[in-house]
Amino acid sequence: MEIKEEENRFVLFNDENQEIGEMTWSNAGDKMMIIDHTFVDPTYRGQKLAEKLVLNGVEKARREGKKIIPLCPFAKKEFDTKPEYGDVLRK
């Protein structure tokens, strides 16, 4: 499994280099990311891959000094259950 960053999205590839998931965001100004979509192919669910995609977004926000608005229901659940992401959550 590999995650690559593209324009406003992280893409998850399987070992055959097929796209099997993504997390997309839009930028709101220079200091804000809005996570609007997280998807993992049903065949690969249950392996915490969507969690890894959201974590990539959190790490990107930390590197770039941004805050995140998790509009996507999955990302919102991740922020609700992981207090360690609080530093990048837009309150």
Side-chain angles (χ1 to χ4, degrees), residues 1 4 15 19-21 26 32-33 42 45 47 49 51-53 58 65-66 69 71 75 84 89:
M1 302 285 171
K4 295 180 185 169
D15 296 335
E19 186 176 317
I20 58 165
S26 53
M32 202 112 37
M33 290 170 65
R45 291 190 183 155
Q47 300 178 44
L49 298 173
E51 287 92 333
K52 286 182 180 147
L53 287 165
V58 168
K66 294 183 176 183
I69 300 171
L71 283 188
E84 64 268 27
L89 177 64

Side-chain angles (χ1 to χ4, degrees), residues 1-60:
M1 302 285 171
E2 182 182 14
I3 296 176
K4 295 180 185 169
E5 183 174 347
E6 295 180 355
E7 181 76 23
N8 285 11
R9 74 181 194 140
F10 285 106
V11 188
L12 179 65
F13 294 93
N14 66 11
D15 296 335
E16 288 79 48
N17 211 32
Q18 297 167 311
E19 186 176 317
I20 58 165
E22 69 174 356
M23 184 200 79
T24 62
W25 70 88
S26 53
N27 292 309
D30 294 337
K31 296 289 178 197
M32 202 112 37
M33 290 170 65
I34 300 168
I35 297 178
D36 48 27
H37 173 71
T38 307
F39 171 80
V40 171
D41 183 291
T43 311
Y44 293 91
R45 291 190 183 155
Q47 300 178 44
K48 302 213 175 285
L49 298 173
E51 287 92 333
K52 286 182 180 147
L53 287 165
V54 172
L55 176 59
N56 272 262
V58 168
E59 290 171 343
K60 177 180 176 63

Side-chain angles (χ1 to χ4, degrees), residues 32-33 67-70 79 85-91:
M32 202 112 37
M33 290 170 65
K67 296 290 186 185
I68 293 175
I69 300 171
F79 275 84
Y85 291 176
D87 61 316
V88 294
L89 177 64
R90 181 173 178 272
K91 307 252 188 308

